[in-house]
Amino acid sequence: MLLTLSDARQLVIDALLRNNVSADNAASVATALIAAEASGQGGHGFRRMEAYATQARNGKVDGQVKPTFTHPAPGILAIDAAHGYAYPAIDIAVAELPEMARTQGIAMATIRRSHHAGVMGLTVERFAQQGLLAIMTANAPAAMAPWGGLRPMYGTNPLAFAAPVLGKDPIVVDMALSKVARGKIMAARQKGADIPEGWALDRNGQPTTNSSEAMEGTMIPTGDAKGAALALMVEILSAGLSAAHFSHEATSLFDDKGAPPALGHTIIVIDPRNTAPGFDPLERIRYLAEEIAQDPNVRLPGQRGQSTRAKAAAEGIEVDDDVIALVKSL
């Protein structure tokens, strides 16, 4: 079915309201999920709705709570998501950090007791659209073992970065530190489809193309040992700094069993205006982007999602009929 972005967003809001989620939280979540769909990231969009709704209905996520924040130091914003969805807490960071960064040059937010952080490239891009650089990290329930091990200790632990480019769309880098995002395997399992070789191992550490076995096993890190080391870095930045659960302490984001996952996120925002006295870093970034773009075969990171969102805004998004039926049934 072809849906306008407005109709798709309302579909999500209505489903969440039926499942013990407040109007404000439903609106924040719906905005994030439909932006993910519009960017071509379906694994972070409608296909998350069944878990999101059942968790709110059964209390694994608090759909009514409002996140709170404090300023423990001038450059730090400490946000408590209070076992609610991540997006309302992220919205606070987006509202508060820009002025902090402009005043001091750099500012950081930590978010604790949180949930699924979604497409983080969309979050850091919100800062880049205001002329700021942003870095975001988030941990996730354990799905990846340290290199050489079998015990899952790290999540897919995404890392995102965005930089403004004068007169053009921002550069946006967004990657899971597994070879693919876990949401792609979840989507394959929902469709009853296999996955490509090299994505995951089963619970015995053997390669598998079975999406159900992969969900029960571990993800393969991108870059092998290097990816596993970066996942550890993200774990410390996200959960270590925020006092959130480490990945191996967190419960699943895909079912309503157990305690809240209580995950952590960290966002660092930099105002480039004063980082190099006597120079304009934004002009330098634009120069670099233009030099890279001279090669006709090169596309700067972020451009695919931006063009996909623009097309979705103009033409709507196609959503599988079974997914729409599921959301309506929640």
Side-chain angles (χ1 to χ4, degrees):
M1 184 179 293
L2 185 66
L3 296 175
T4 66
L5 296 187
S6 177
D7 287 345
R9 183 174 181 272
Q10 192 61 50
L11 185 65
V12 171
I13 289 174
D14 290 344
L16 292 171
L17 291 176
R18 294 193 301 270
N19 285 274
N20 198 29
V21 179
S22 73
D24 286 347
N25 288 341
S28 178
V29 172
T31 297
L33 295 192
I34 298 311
E37 284 285 346
S39 299
Q41 299 288 333
H44 294 291
F46 274 121
R47 291 192 179 276
R48 293 277 173 168
M49 276 298 297
E50 182 175 17
Y52 275 33
T54 57
Q55 287 176 20
R57 191 167 64 245
N58 295 328
K60 187 171 181 176
V61 63
D62 189 336
Q64 298 291 328
V65 74
K66 291 184 178 181
T68 59
F69 65 92
T70 60
H71 287 282
I76 296 179
L77 183 70
I79 303 172
D80 183 1
H83 299 311
Y85 294 110
Y87 306 113
I90 290 171
D91 288 344
I92 289 176
V94 173
E96 297 289 325
L97 284 177
E99 185 58 32
M100 293 170 61
R102 292 189 182 101
T103 299
Q104 301 169 147
I106 186 169
M108 180 178 78
T110 61
I111 302 175
R112 67 187 182 97
R113 297 203 298 174
S114 193
H115 197 255
H116 173 233
V119 180
M120 298 190 333
L122 293 170
T123 295
V124 292
E125 187 171 355
R126 292 166 75 180
F127 295 102
Q129 288 167 343
Q130 300 179 60
L132 303 166
L133 277 76
I135 301 168
M136 181 174 180
T137 65
N139 73 334
M144 195 161 62
W147 189 245
L150 288 177
R151 180 190 176 194
M153 288 294 295
Y154 313 138
T156 54
N157 287 16
L159 172 67
F161 166 81
V165 179
L166 293 172
K168 299 184 182 298
D169 288 327
I171 293 169
V172 182
V173 178
D174 187 357
M175 65 180 75
L177 293 177
S178 54
K179 286 196 174 178
V180 296
R182 194 162 173 80
K184 290 187 176 182
I185 294 180
M186 178 198 68
R189 185 178 68 172
Q190 289 178 340
K191 295 177 181 178
D194 286 340
I195 60 172
E197 292 183 4
W199 281 16
L201 307 174
D202 65 19
R203 63 174 60 195
N204 298 313
Q206 299 301 310
T208 183
T209 59
N210 183 293
S211 54
S212 294
E213 291 180 357
M215 289 295 292
E216 298 297 325
T218 59
M219 307 290 291
I220 297 175
T222 186
D224 300 330
K226 294 177 181 179
L230 286 172
L232 173 58
M233 178 193 76
V234 168
E235 194 75 41
I236 292 169
L237 285 172
S238 304
L241 292 186
S242 68
H245 277 171
F246 288 117
S247 292
H248 73 283
E249 299 173 313
T251 57
S252 174
L253 292 172
F254 297 113
D255 60 45
D256 59 358
K257 299 176 178 63
L263 295 164
H265 325 308
T266 290
I267 303 172
I268 301 169
V269 178
I270 301 166
D271 183 351
R273 293 178 304 171
N274 301 310
T275 57
F279 295 89
D280 184 349
L282 292 181
E283 286 288 354
R284 296 290 292 159
I285 294 170
R286 176 167 63 179
Y287 163 74
L288 177 61
E290 290 173 348
E291 287 291 304
I292 293 170
Q294 285 189 23
D295 189 326
N297 298 313
V298 171
R299 178 169 50 196
L300 287 167
Q303 287 184 340
R304 176 183 294 174
Q306 290 152 357
S307 62
T308 302
R309 289 203 305 278
K311 182 178 180 182
E315 301 176 7
I317 52 176
E318 288 190 0
V319 184
D320 291 344
D321 290 343
D322 64 319
V323 173
I324 293 177
L326 172 63
V327 173
K328 288 182 176 180
S329 74
L330 292 170

